[in-house]
Amino acid sequence: MMRTLRLATSAALPYALSVLLAGPALADMSTAVRSDAYSVKGLDQPAEILIDHWGIAHIYAKSNRDALFLQGYNAARDRLWQIDLWRKRGLGRLAESFGEDFAERDRAARLFLFRGDMGKEWVSYGPNAKSFAEAFVAGVNAYVSEVLAGSKPLPIEFSLSGSKPEIWGPEDVVRIRSHGLTRNVSSEVKRALVTCKADIDADRLRSKLEPDWKPEVPQGLDPCIIPADVLKDYDWATDSVDFSPPKKKAELYDPQPFLDKADGTVDSIGSNNWVVAPARTATGRPILANDPHRAHSAPSLRYIVHLNSPDMSVVGAGEPALPGISIGHNGTIAFGLTIFNVDQEDLYVYETNPDNPNQYRYKDGWENMKTVEETIAVRDGAPRKVSLKFTRHGPVVKTDGENHRAFAVRSVWMEPGTSAYFGSSDYMTARNWNEFLTAMNRFYAPSENQVYADTQGNIGWVAAAMTPARKTWDGLLPVPGDGRYEWGFLKRDDLPSVYNPAKGWFATANQMNLPEGYPVKERKVGFEWADPSRYERIAQVLSANDKVTLADSMKLQNDDVNLLGERAVKLLKAVELPADASAEARQAAEMLRNWNASNDIDSAPAAIYEMWISQHLPKALITHVVPEAARKAIGKGSGTAAIDMLETADKSLGQDLQATRAAIISESLASAVAALKEQLGNDMDKWRWGDLHRAVFKHSLSPIVSKAMQEQFTVGPWAMSGSSTTPHAASYNPDFTLMSGASFRMVLDVGGWDNSRVINTPGQSGDPFSPHYRDLAPLWLTGDYVPLFYSREAVEGAAATRISLTPAE
């Protein structure tokens, strides 16, 4: 079903010819164009929005200001419930719309808002930041005002929840930080819990450290004083909004699900990207490919849009609540991103004054916490007054009066210029490598591998991030907040970059990619990276092809080969199961030995492997080598760390390495088979990975609406291939339903822009009754794409709706 890929290696073609070549995926589209006309208050000059057959809006305005204004207006037109909920969640305003159950979440969210100097904040992003945000918000507000006035329909979610959209302020866009990805405070807490119950070395089965590193307990820290629930406020502030009926009261909060889930984010929240130089492509033009991986939902996290003005023409994807484009191109340069795992946060532990709990020890004296008093409005209830406390390092997330302790999170969030992805407002208008580098010097969060290509044939990579400089510790455990552990910051030039690499391509997939010889001891950037299997497979494919096409890149984005699985197969071939191994374990081992290490939908060995590697092998290994007291703290463990240990003659496995390995593999395979029989039946030959691994996109309100409305809101389920360690990233929940992966994929023909291809899922619209709510999901599932047209001619030919806009009096 890769029909739309046939155009991938051609030069830019007239739209009519592209329809003939591309087959039914394009040719079946109607040529009829619906016309609408709006008068919009706040628009300066007449403008136009062309919406193509796939719901992608192409905005044509007479100024940058109007282009950004209409980006906000159009985002509200398509995604108002989603962006309004994003704002309310981030600002801590949920209880006002949804009631008392959200008041504690609101208090927690307000702890993590940016509260610094707004002048410094705006300047930190570059010259366009404030004007872009003001224009975008004015557009959002123009649409919200029309909805509140009744001239535009109220999206059904507001009616179902009994709420209304709110008016935005420009500062709302940047003050919200809790959608960022700054890592690794939850891992610090788990490492402290493990170290308390066993020793720090036991934690390597939970989290593999790279480059090779032996962590140490910071001087002055007793890891046993870290409460398991110390990050409750952090959890509430950063988690998605859950409308499920409350299962427990807040005082019964269980930290384990959050800590266990956070363990997996290093592999589940990431991305793939690559750039290929002209000398290694079939067209002689660069290719840039990017598929960012985040949690799946309906509507999608990403939103594709095309902004045009006399001074700007940029197309690609961003997040619908933010101005600008973070992944795409501007006709001269192309850009894409993946997470570069800088450790941008720490947990600080304080001794508090027994005579004044609002003071904490700092150096030779007591320092006062800053207290901010706020009122949380509550729907159908009395307003709640809350006291938010802050140390010099950040928000206080827990106090322990009995033992005179307090705990605060320090994050780059608290520094000016760190609103997630907002730095794209700077680099999306760059015209060459030097301008791109200048923007990267101001790009702070999240920490990213930014790849680059331009129409002159250049390609490059920049690791861009605000990076804490820790001189005396490594950031892997909490630290005392008494002044001994203070951050500095590395310069951007202290991080690696590459321009026109000799090999003719560059790729990243969240793997440890600090170059050989990088001064790790002096610059402790971070030690917790994704499993390298996705990158290694991408490198394997790109290295073997000196005539790369767009079709090749699209195929690679959907590649199901699992190189961690290959290592597991090799391990099984080297191990003879013990004589007492069950028949089921022997059959499973034999099926895996003959597996092609591809997570295909129809593969029985893939189902066995994923059940084994995710839920049974690490657990069995932990049982054998970790003291019982520490096992709960470690959790399910890491499949990568388990394979690492079993491949080597590790002393933890005892003197008889072969016997211990055989016992662990036999035991874990038997338990994996038993679990699979309960879900897929007794006939192992009939098992399919796709019967276990299912893609389903759920709406935030699904838990509280009728069954009929749930069906309207939900997209899927479908059988799904891939996994977290294949380029076709498809991480899953404990029940194997899809959790995260590439909701958005993009492959750019740099210079032959109209050949570029893209897919979003489940669709562009947030309206559950719109055809664009779910129309892209079947294409996304089968690895198909739609055009990302750039020229006005191509956009005109693909237009399905034309909206003419004029300023209102």
Side-chain angles (χ1 to χ4, degrees):
M1 266 222 37
M2 302 285 279
R3 289 187 298 266
T4 62
L5 307 190
R6 300 296 179 256
L7 193 57
T9 60
S10 63
L13 295 168
Y15 178 73
L17 181 56
S18 75
V19 169
L20 293 175
L21 293 177
L26 289 178
D28 290 350
M29 296 295 182
S30 169
T31 58
V33 180
R34 173 185 171 184
S35 294
D36 290 318
Y38 305 154
S39 293
V40 180
K41 189 174 182 179
L43 183 67
D44 287 341
Q45 299 180 71
E48 191 172 44
I49 301 177
L50 300 181
I51 301 171
D52 65 26
H53 289 292
W54 308 282
I56 298 171
H58 303 261
I59 296 170
Y60 295 90
K62 291 184 171 61
S63 68
N64 287 354
R65 186 267 173 194
D66 274 3
L68 272 295
F69 175 92
L70 288 176
Q71 185 187 12
Y73 185 86
N74 180 69
R77 179 191 67 83
D78 239 359
R79 303 279 192 100
L80 183 55
W81 166 260
Q82 182 186 26
I83 66 173
D84 183 76
L85 188 63
W86 176 87
R87 175 183 171 275
K88 288 171 178 172
R89 165 192 174 272
L91 293 178
R93 295 179 58 89
L94 292 168
E96 185 172 359
S97 289
F98 308 116
E100 175 69 28
D101 289 340
F102 294 90
E104 277 299 294
R105 280 199 58 134
D106 284 349
R107 179 192 56 77
R110 296 182 187 202
L111 283 169
F112 289 94
L113 284 170
F114 176 71
R115 295 177 179 273
D117 185 311
M118 286 304 298
K120 292 181 179 178
E121 169 73 359
W122 290 120
V123 169
S124 297
Y125 301 103
N128 297 319
K130 187 175 183 182
S131 63
F132 279 11
E134 288 173 339
F136 178 86
V137 165
V140 171
N141 288 340
Y143 193 87
V144 170
S145 296
E146 292 175 354
V147 169
L148 294 176
S151 60
K152 290 288 187 297
L154 183 72
I156 191 170
E157 294 95 335
F158 293 100
S159 299
L160 291 170
S161 62
S163 63
K164 290 183 179 180
E166 295 182 343
I167 296 296
W168 296 38
E171 66 280 359
D172 297 346
V173 172
V174 293
R175 288 191 66 222
I176 296 171
R177 303 295 216 232
S178 50
H179 63 300
L181 304 168
T182 55
R183 70 203 69 81
N184 66 337
V185 70
S186 59
S187 187
E188 290 181 16
V189 171
K190 289 206 77 171
R191 188 170 286 108
L193 298 176
V194 172
T195 302
C196 172
K197 299 296 185 180
D199 58 52
I200 202 165
D201 188 58
D203 190 65
R204 63 190 171 128
L205 282 174
R206 180 191 65 84
S207 175
K208 179 179 180 178
L209 302 182
E210 298 177 279
D212 187 38
W213 189 261
K214 185 173 178 58
E216 295 180 356
V217 177
Q219 185 178 0
L221 174 73
D222 176 2
C224 294
I225 69 173
I226 307 299
D229 67 348
V230 68
L231 296 179
K232 178 175 69 174
D233 284 345
Y234 182 95
D235 181 5
W236 282 345
T238 57
D239 197 13
S240 57
V241 182
D242 184 4
F243 286 99
S244 301
K247 296 178 181 178
K248 301 179 181 181
K249 293 183 178 180
E251 58 266 25
L252 299 179
Y253 172 81
D254 179 5
Q256 204 61 43
F258 166 71
L259 293 175
D260 288 343
K261 182 179 179 181
D263 266 351
T265 58
V266 71
D267 282 317
S268 62
I269 303 298
S271 311
N272 304 319
N273 65 18
W274 56 87
V275 279
V276 186
R280 294 187 65 93
T281 70
T283 63
R285 295 187 294 271
I287 289 173
L288 184 147
N290 195 187
D291 54 304
H293 310 155
R294 293 285 293 277
H296 284 296
S297 63
S300 170
L301 172 71
R302 308 290 177 186
Y303 187 68
I304 307 168
V305 69
H306 185 184
L307 307 177
N308 292 275
S309 73
D311 300 322
M312 174 179 66
S313 181
V314 57
V315 64
E319 298 192 10
L322 303 178
I325 300 299
S326 56
I327 304 165
H329 73 85
N330 62 23
T332 302
I333 75 165
F335 38 86
L337 49 80
T338 73
I339 291 296
F340 176 76
N341 283 292
V342 172
D343 177 2
Q344 293 181 304
E345 58 191 7
D346 278 318
L347 182 69
Y348 280 79
V349 184
Y350 307 91
E351 176 192 350
T352 55
N353 187 346
D355 298 323
N356 183 352
N358 288 325
Q359 291 184 327
Y360 60 97
R361 185 172 296 284
Y362 190 76
K363 295 187 176 179
D364 295 329
W366 298 107
E367 187 162 301
N368 292 321
M369 295 179 187
K370 179 182 178 181
T371 301
V372 176
E373 305 289 345
E374 294 201 356
T375 300
I376 297 172
V378 178
R379 173 177 156 184
D380 300 327
R384 177 182 292 193
K385 294 186 180 299
V386 295
S387 295
L388 310 177
K389 299 183 184 300
F390 302 84
T391 70
R392 63 170 46 233
H393 300 117
V396 176
V397 292
K398 189 175 180 64
T399 57
D400 178 356
E402 182 178 348
N403 295 299
H404 308 299
R405 296 190 189 106
F407 305 84
V409 172
R410 182 167 192 186
S411 170
V412 299
W413 286 345
M414 309 308 157
E415 303 295 329
T418 58
S419 181
Y421 301 104
F422 190 69
S424 64
S425 62
D426 198 12
Y427 68 73
M428 75 176 190
T429 57
R431 295 291 174 177
N432 54 52
W433 176 249
N434 287 334
E435 291 183 12
F436 187 73
L437 281 181
T438 298
M440 290 301 102
N441 289 335
R442 295 189 280 254
F443 189 92
Y444 297 146
S447 51
E448 300 283 1
N449 292 289
Q450 296 273 6
V451 292
Y452 166 98
D454 65 34
T455 53
Q456 299 301 307
N458 302 301
I459 65 171
W461 160 66
V462 183
M466 180 173 281
T467 307
R470 300 175 177 90
K471 291 185 178 180
T472 59
W473 83 105
D474 54 24
L476 291 169
L477 281 161
V479 289
D482 57 11
R484 286 178 287 174
Y485 298 94
E486 295 299 325
W487 286 3
F489 291 100
L490 299 181
K491 298 176 181 178
R492 217 301 310 157
D493 288 345
D494 292 329
L495 299 178
S497 62
V498 167
Y499 186 58
N500 290 330
K503 64 185 177 183
W505 61 270
F506 197 90
T508 77
N510 320 117
Q511 83 287 2
M512 200 293 292
N513 59 345
L514 296 173
E516 187 176 351
Y518 188 81
V520 175
K521 291 183 179 180
E522 292 77 23
R523 305 175 195 168
K524 305 174 189 72
V525 169
F527 296 95
E528 295 174 290
W529 307 79
D531 178 278
S533 297
R534 283 187 288 117
Y535 169 77
E536 289 170 355
R537 175 57 178 168
I538 292 165
Q540 187 182 77
V541 172
L542 292 178
S543 297
N545 187 355
D546 61 3
K547 296 293 181 184
V548 179
T549 67
L550 294 192
D552 294 331
S553 285
M554 288 182 269
K555 182 179 179 182
L556 184 52
Q557 286 182 337
N558 292 276
D559 187 287
D560 289 323
V561 172
N562 191 331
L563 295 190
L564 182 62
E566 278 193 5
R567 291 172 59 191
V569 169
K570 185 176 180 180
L571 175 66
L572 282 165
K573 289 179 177 179
V575 173
E576 183 176 345
L577 297 190
D580 61 354
S582 68
E584 289 84 357
R586 292 186 181 280
Q587 183 180 354
E590 193 59 26
M591 291 173 73
L592 287 174
R593 289 176 184 132
N594 293 314
W595 180 39
N596 65 355
S598 183
N599 278 64
D600 303 327
I601 284 178
D602 294 326
S603 173
I608 296 170
Y609 168 78
E610 291 295 338
M611 175 66 81
W612 180 55
I613 198 73
S614 67
Q615 298 188 12
H616 297 273
L617 177 62
K619 180 180 178 181
L621 186 57
I622 289 166
T623 300
H624 274 261
V625 304
V626 175
E628 185 174 359
R631 292 173 193 167
K632 181 180 179 181
I634 289 179
K636 71 175 187 176
S638 159
T640 301
I643 295 294
D644 284 348
M645 180 176 282
L646 292 173
E647 283 177 335
T648 61
D650 194 287
K651 293 179 182 178
S652 301
L653 297 174
Q655 295 298 316
D656 193 342
L657 171 66
Q658 291 294 342
T660 304
R661 288 200 307 187
I664 291 169
I665 290 171
S666 175
E667 170 192 327
S668 57
L669 276 176
S671 60
V673 169
L676 283 166
K677 282 187 173 183
E678 289 184 7
Q679 297 186 54
L680 300 180
N682 291 327
D683 190 340
M684 296 170 66
D685 291 325
K686 291 183 179 180
W687 292 349
R688 299 169 68 250
W689 173 224
D691 289 339
L692 195 66
H693 191 220
R694 311 287 284 176
V696 58
F697 300 87
K698 295 183 178 180
H699 190 282
S700 57
L701 279 186
S702 291
I704 62 169
V705 298
S706 67
K707 184 177 181 181
M709 191 59 71
Q710 282 183 15
E711 292 177 355
Q712 185 68 33
F713 279 172
T714 303
V715 183
W718 297 291
M720 182 82 186
S721 64
S723 80
S724 65
T725 49
T726 64
H728 182 197
S731 300
Y732 46 78
N733 295 301
D735 65 356
F736 294 96
T737 56
L738 183 66
M739 177 176 68
S740 61
S743 63
F744 166 80
R745 302 185 187 112
M746 176 188 74
V747 178
L748 299 179
D749 183 349
V750 179
W753 299 114
D754 285 340
N755 299 325
S756 300
R757 293 294 184 261
V758 69
I759 196 70
N760 200 7
T761 197
Q764 279 281 96
S765 178
D767 176 4
F769 296 94
S770 166
H772 294 309
Y773 182 76
R774 65 187 73 238
D775 58 340
L776 297 181
L779 298 174
W780 168 85
L781 188 71
T782 55
D784 221 332
Y785 292 68
V786 302
L788 184 63
F789 286 140
Y790 185 66
S791 71
R792 182 69 185 246
E793 177 192 14
V795 172
E796 288 276 4
T801 301
R802 183 186 302 271
I803 304 175
S804 299
L805 303 114
T806 54
E809 295 296 330

